[in-house]
Amino acid sequence: AQKVTQAQTEISVVEKEDVTLDCVYETRDTTYYLFWYKQPPSGELVFLIRRNSFDEQNEISGRYSWNFQKSTSSFNFTITASQVVDSAVYFCALSPSWGNSGGSNYKLTFGKGTLLTVNP
Amino acid sequence: NAGVTQTPKFRVLKTGQSMTLLCAQDMNHEYMYWYRQDPGMGLRLIHYSVGEGTTAKGEVPDGYNVSRLKKQNFLLGLESAAPSQTSVYFCASSLREFHGELFFGEGSRLTVL
């Protein structure tokens, strides 16, 4: 069974602070994908990143960075110099890789989300 | 480019009434999904489809039916609505090769009284 845990229900920071959102996952699959999604107040979910379990290199995209550590089953997300526009609910998610899913029995498991509020 | 469009955006039903949510995507995606989002529960998969004419159950399929008669459309039906089905419903689609990279619609808020 797959499980994604986002222990932080809510986080509040002041603009320009750095903030890290934690994600811990459980899976029996040897290969899998990890994701982060953003849900701003408007409601629509937006895909941010996909990481293959083969690739443990950290990734940076502007003010966003992701730290994938297979040894601790974690895929944490850091926002540097946070801005008010970063205020949103952030979801971590997990899916089996194509081969493990059998090509059709696919399932993306979401965590319960972390509400990030960035105050001016 | 509209992406994923859901209709209606809002609906209020009485217990026992039926309704259908329509999802349309114009990206030629093979996979389509229906999720529900409830406070403190995150997103839970109701049903999904890996191609035209095929559907499969997700985590919470009871009380819902789906159909995918055309590749671009995925319908979610409630035959006899219950208050427990009050939720925000999201449709999403993806390419087969990138099945975790979902494109979401704006959501449909359903209230069952």
Side-chain angles (χ1 to χ4, degrees):
Chain A
Q2 297 185 120
K3 185 178 179 181
V4 176
T5 301
Q6 295 180 254
Q8 304 149 311
T9 306
E10 296 186 34
I11 300 176
S12 182
V13 299
V14 177
E15 206 168 18
K16 297 185 183 178
E17 283 185 20
D18 297 347
V19 58
T20 295
L21 309 181
D22 297 333
C23 174
V24 173
Y25 62 92
E26 296 175 28
T27 180
R28 295 177 182 173
D29 294 324
T30 54
T31 58
Y32 47 89
Y33 290 109
L34 293 160
F35 306 83
W36 277 94
Y37 282 83
K38 175 182 180 180
Q39 185 178 37
S42 60
E44 189 170 338
L45 286 102
V46 177
F47 164 79
L48 294 178
I49 188 172
R50 179 178 79 164
R51 171 63 79 217
N52 190 317
S53 58
F54 284 115
D55 183 3
E56 288 194 65
Q57 286 191 350
N58 292 335
E59 181 156 344
I60 298 175
S61 176
R63 296 184 297 106
Y64 294 172
S65 63
W66 291 270
N67 182 358
F68 175 33
Q69 293 197 350
K70 215 167 179 178
S71 60
T72 56
S73 297
S74 65
F75 186 45
N76 296 338
F77 174 28
T78 298
I79 301 175
T80 303
S82 61
Q83 300 175 2
V84 173
V85 293
D86 295 327
S87 296
V89 180
Y90 290 88
F91 292 95
C92 180
L94 166 71
S95 84
S97 66
W98 178 255
N100 283 356
S101 72
S104 61
N105 188 21
Y106 150 83
K107 182 171 184 256
L108 183 64
T109 301
F110 283 86
K112 294 185 177 180
T114 297
L115 172 61
L116 172 64
T117 302
V118 181
N119 299 297
Chain B
N1 188 358
V4 178
T5 303
Q6 295 179 225
T7 54
K9 299 287 191 296
F10 301 93
R11 185 74 187 271
V12 178
L13 288 176
K14 294 182 180 178
T15 297
Q17 287 185 320
S18 63
M19 76 157 296
T20 300
L21 293 174
L22 170 63
C23 176
Q25 53 96 2
D26 61 2
M27 297 172 284
N28 203 34
H29 285 173
E30 294 90 347
Y31 286 13
M32 296 187 74
Y33 321 82
W34 277 106
Y35 285 88
R36 60 177 289 173
Q37 184 177 25
D38 303 291
M41 301 295 292
L43 286 150
R44 292 181 293 171
L45 182 64
I46 304 171
H47 286 280
Y48 65 98
S49 168
V50 298
E52 182 179 320
T54 70
T55 63
K57 295 180 179 180
E59 293 178 75
V60 289
D62 294 342
Y64 305 95
N65 56 76
V66 289
S67 64
R68 188 147 179 221
L69 300 179
K70 295 182 179 180
K71 185 177 184 179
Q72 64 268 33
N73 295 338
F74 195 30
L75 278 63
L76 177 70
L78 287 72
E79 289 188 349
S80 180
S84 61
Q85 293 177 304
T86 294
S87 186
V88 180
Y89 292 86
F90 285 95
C91 177
S93 69
S94 70
L95 287 169
R96 174 183 178 277
E97 294 82 2
F98 300 101
H99 62 273
E101 295 181 26
L102 307 184
F103 290 78
F104 282 86
E106 294 178 342
S108 298
R109 184 174 294 276
L110 174 65
T111 301
V112 183
L113 303 176

